[in-house]
């Protein structure tokens, strides 16, 4: 039974005196107690926080007792917003209410690593006798080195790797940056080594980590980010996409350096200048988003806040094309978690990424996307314009069905749940 090995639970409960009893005094199996550790959690609307919230719900619905050590919402603005909004039947232990994050990305990461390590030490110290499985979501990574030694030997540990920081740090060139890279590699290597099982969100990340850190391949599995949207929500269309007499070309989601934001803005502005049948949009939040909005040419690209989850399917449904962009070399370090939902909804994808990358392969395998690895603005514009021409006669329903038949099994939480059950 998923997440319940009844015989094993009973034996452990007898040893620890922790078994529950029914109304007749008979020993009953106790729900498996799982602690997730990540600063990013519900109600953050995108990226790791959204993934973690869906995972917690799946674990809860599978019968586990779920607790989460996390921050008050902070991403993508990097401004803490105090909240009491929790998921039903999921216990949250929040911290970081008074943390202020610097504007510089490296300093911001150091602040996050430091305070979250202290927070998780407190949480784990208070819960250590009531944990059966600990799930560390990376990055950050330093907190795991702080708390893993507090966990009893019986606790099984699983790491879920969203971004491979060592891959990004390898791009740094200055003397100070090389020191930072060495520190990142050391911390990440030691954190990964202290997990009984590791789940990577792409095969490229897994292979890179196995090669760089000497991890046993048998302990490392791949589980792509899952599709979480339902077709029934597609009728709820965000206001900016209400117009039906134009094609909406949309970028939606996190905006940081790895998404090549300046190249993205340049491409959308060029498209808006050359095709009056198109309206270009960016849905996001945060420092990079505000910088782009401030420097954009007025009227060419429309900037909007992130949509609520109940409008996300409608946003994809009304998008003529969704743009997914990455900096050169970024494909080894992560896989955009939004890709599963975009493809699940049958949306044509224009993808800028490294040639031969896993992201490129997924988009090409979908049959409804175009990959441009030239990183040349003129070539990107021609490729995007050609995709738009094709999409004008696209049968969206047929495309959606074909993508789901071809790729649907890859975008599921099942491998993660199986890994947690067997770890």
């Amino acid at each position: 039974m998923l997440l319940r090995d009844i015989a094993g639970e009973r034996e452990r409960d007898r040893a620890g005196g922790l078994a529950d009893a029914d109304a007749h005094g008979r020993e009953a199996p106790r729900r498996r107690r799982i602690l997730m550790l990540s600063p990013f959690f519900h109600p953050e609307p995108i990226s790791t926080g959204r993934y973690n919230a869906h995972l917690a719900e799946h674990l809860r619905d599978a019968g586990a007792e779920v607790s989460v050590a996390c921050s008050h919402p902070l991403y993508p603005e990097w401004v803490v917003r105090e909240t009491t909004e929790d998921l039903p039947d999921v216990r949250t232990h929040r911290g970081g209410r008074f943390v202020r994050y610097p504007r510089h990305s490296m300093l911001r990461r150091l602040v996050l690593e430091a305070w979250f390590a202290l927070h998780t030490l407190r949480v784990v110290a208070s819960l250590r006798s009531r944990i059966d499985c600990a799930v560390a979501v990376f990055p950050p990574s330093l907190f795991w080195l702080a708390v893993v030694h507090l966990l009893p030997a019986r606790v099984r540990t699983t790491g879920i790797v969203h971004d491979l920081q060592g891959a990004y740090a390898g791009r740094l060139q200055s003397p100070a940056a090389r020191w930072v890279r060495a520190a990142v590699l050391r911390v990440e290597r030691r954190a990964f080594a202290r997990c009984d099982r590791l789940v990577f969100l792409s095969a490229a990340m897994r292979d890179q980590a196995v090669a760089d850190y000497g991890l046993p391949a048998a302990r490392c599995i791949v589980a792509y980010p899952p599709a979480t949207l339902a077709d029934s929500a597609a009728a709820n269309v965000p206001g900016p996409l209400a117009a039906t007499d134009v094609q909406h070309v949309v970028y939606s989601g996190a905006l940081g350096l790895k998404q090549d934001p300046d190249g993205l803005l340049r491409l959308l502005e060029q498209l808006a200048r050359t095709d009056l049948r198109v309206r270009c949009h960016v849905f996001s939040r945060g420092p990079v988003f505000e910088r782009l909005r401030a420097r954009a040419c007025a009227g060419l690209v429309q900037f909007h806040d992130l949509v609520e989850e109940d409008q996300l399917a409608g946003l994809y449904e009304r998008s003529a094309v969704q743009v997914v962009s990455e900096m050169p070399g970024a494909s080894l370090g992560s896989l955009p978690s939004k890709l599963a939902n975009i493809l699940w909804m049958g949306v044509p994808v224009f993808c800028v990424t490294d040639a031969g990358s896993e992201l490129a392969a997924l988009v090409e395998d979908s049959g409804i996307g175009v990959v441009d690895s030239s990183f040349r603005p003129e070539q990107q514009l021609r490729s995007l314009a050609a995709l738009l021409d094709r999409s004008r006669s696209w049968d969206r329903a047929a495309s959606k069905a074909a993508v789901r038949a071809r790729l649907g099994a890859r975008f599921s939480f099942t491998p993660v749940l199986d890994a947690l059950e067997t770890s």
Side-chain angles (χ1 to χ4, degrees):
M1 185 183 300
L2 186 61
L3 292 175
R4 294 185 186 179
D5 179 345
I6 294 177
E9 289 287 354
R10 283 180 173 171
E11 184 171 341
R12 184 158 61 225
D13 287 345
R14 290 191 190 101
L18 298 173
D20 297 325
D22 62 17
H24 302 288
R26 292 175 303 202
E27 192 177 85
R30 171 178 44 71
R31 292 192 300 164
R32 195 175 189 193
R33 300 163 301 186
I34 296 178
L35 175 64
M36 294 177 57
L37 304 104
S38 172
F40 309 108
F41 196 61
H42 176 82
E44 290 179 351
I46 56 173
S47 199
T48 306
R50 189 167 180 272
Y51 175 101
N52 289 342
H54 284 295
L55 177 57
E57 290 176 320
H58 275 73
L59 294 170
R60 175 201 63 197
D61 295 344
E65 180 182 306
V66 182
S67 300
V68 184
C70 59
S71 171
H72 290 273
L74 63 99
Y75 190 79
E77 302 98 321
W78 291 100
V79 175
V80 177
R81 294 173 288 111
E82 186 176 358
T83 186
T84 58
E85 182 181 343
D86 293 328
L87 296 177
D89 299 318
V90 174
R91 295 190 181 96
T92 53
H93 303 267
R94 296 190 187 272
R97 179 173 31 172
F98 302 113
V99 174
R100 297 294 180 267
Y101 291 95
R103 295 184 63 85
H104 191 281
S105 60
M106 191 179 299
L107 294 177
R108 197 162 59 209
R109 179 61 62 178
L110 288 173
V111 169
L112 177 67
E113 293 273 6
W115 86 258
F116 191 64
L118 294 174
H119 175 61
T120 52
L121 275 170
R122 290 193 294 269
V123 173
V124 171
S126 67
L127 297 179
R128 65 187 306 271
S129 65
R130 302 191 297 277
I131 304 170
D132 300 318
C133 178
V135 180
V137 183
F138 305 119
S141 303
L142 185 63
F143 75 91
W144 191 236
L145 300 183
V147 304
V148 71
H149 299 293
L150 287 180
L151 296 170
R154 62 178 175 78
V155 174
R156 309 306 295 165
T157 60
T158 298
I160 301 179
V161 184
H162 281 251
D163 294 293
L164 203 57
Q165 296 296 288
Y168 294 130
R171 299 166 55 86
L172 304 174
Q173 298 300 322
S174 70
R178 286 195 292 271
W179 180 88
V180 171
R181 177 178 184 270
V184 167
L185 290 170
R186 181 177 177 83
V187 169
E188 202 166 57
R189 178 187 293 110
R190 294 180 64 194
F192 291 176
R194 282 161 175 75
C195 294
D196 297 318
R197 180 70 62 88
L198 284 162
V199 178
F200 294 87
L201 270 56
S202 77
M205 278 195 287
R206 178 200 58 193
D207 295 345
Q208 188 78 22
V210 168
D212 287 350
Y213 300 148
L215 300 171
R219 286 172 40 209
C220 303
I221 69 166
V222 176
Y224 290 120
T228 58
L229 295 180
D231 290 331
S232 59
N236 194 1
V237 176
L241 304 188
T244 58
D245 58 339
V246 295
Q247 285 187 295
H248 299 284
V249 176
V250 178
Y251 177 88
S252 58
L255 265 179
L257 294 181
K258 67 182 178 183
Q259 282 86 23
D260 189 16
D262 296 292
L264 171 68
L265 179 62
R266 180 175 58 244
L267 174 63
L268 294 181
E269 288 184 335
Q270 289 175 335
L271 178 65
R273 288 190 182 99
T274 58
D275 193 338
L276 297 180
R277 299 169 296 176
V278 169
R279 191 169 295 169
C280 296
H281 307 265
V282 174
F283 290 81
S284 191
R285 285 182 195 162
V288 174
F289 173 76
E290 296 299 337
R291 178 176 67 79
L292 284 192
R293 179 158 60 178
R295 65 171 286 252
C297 295
L300 289 178
V301 177
Q302 297 184 12
F303 291 82
H304 317 282
D305 193 8
L306 292 164
V307 301
E308 298 296 329
E309 179 140 0
D310 63 353
Q311 291 188 313
L312 191 56
L315 180 144
Y316 291 149
E317 190 76 21
R318 192 57 65 87
S319 300
V321 169
Q322 278 272 330
V323 179
V324 177
S325 63
E326 290 187 326
M327 290 282 286
S331 61
L332 291 177
S334 62
L335 185 77
S337 57
K338 64 185 177 182
L339 181 68
N341 279 326
I342 294 174
L343 295 178
W344 185 257
M345 297 303 296
V347 186
V349 177
F350 180 72
C351 179
V352 178
T353 187
D354 299 315
S357 70
E358 194 166 2
L359 173 58
L362 285 169
V363 172
E364 291 168 345
D365 288 350
S366 73
I368 59 170
V370 167
V371 176
D372 191 298
S373 301
S374 68
F375 296 100
R376 296 196 302 269
E378 298 80 6
Q379 177 59 45
Q380 290 177 2
L381 183 61
R382 286 194 295 270
S383 299
L384 178 51
L387 178 60
L388 276 168
D389 284 340
R390 290 171 52 203
S391 71
R392 290 187 174 101
S393 58
W394 213 290
D395 185 336
R396 183 67 67 89
S399 300
K400 186 187 300 183
V403 171
R404 293 181 182 185
R406 191 178 297 124
L407 297 177
R410 302 190 198 182
F411 300 129
S412 166
F413 267 125
T414 300
V416 182
L417 298 177
D418 289 346
L420 290 174
E421 185 174 4
T422 58
S423 65

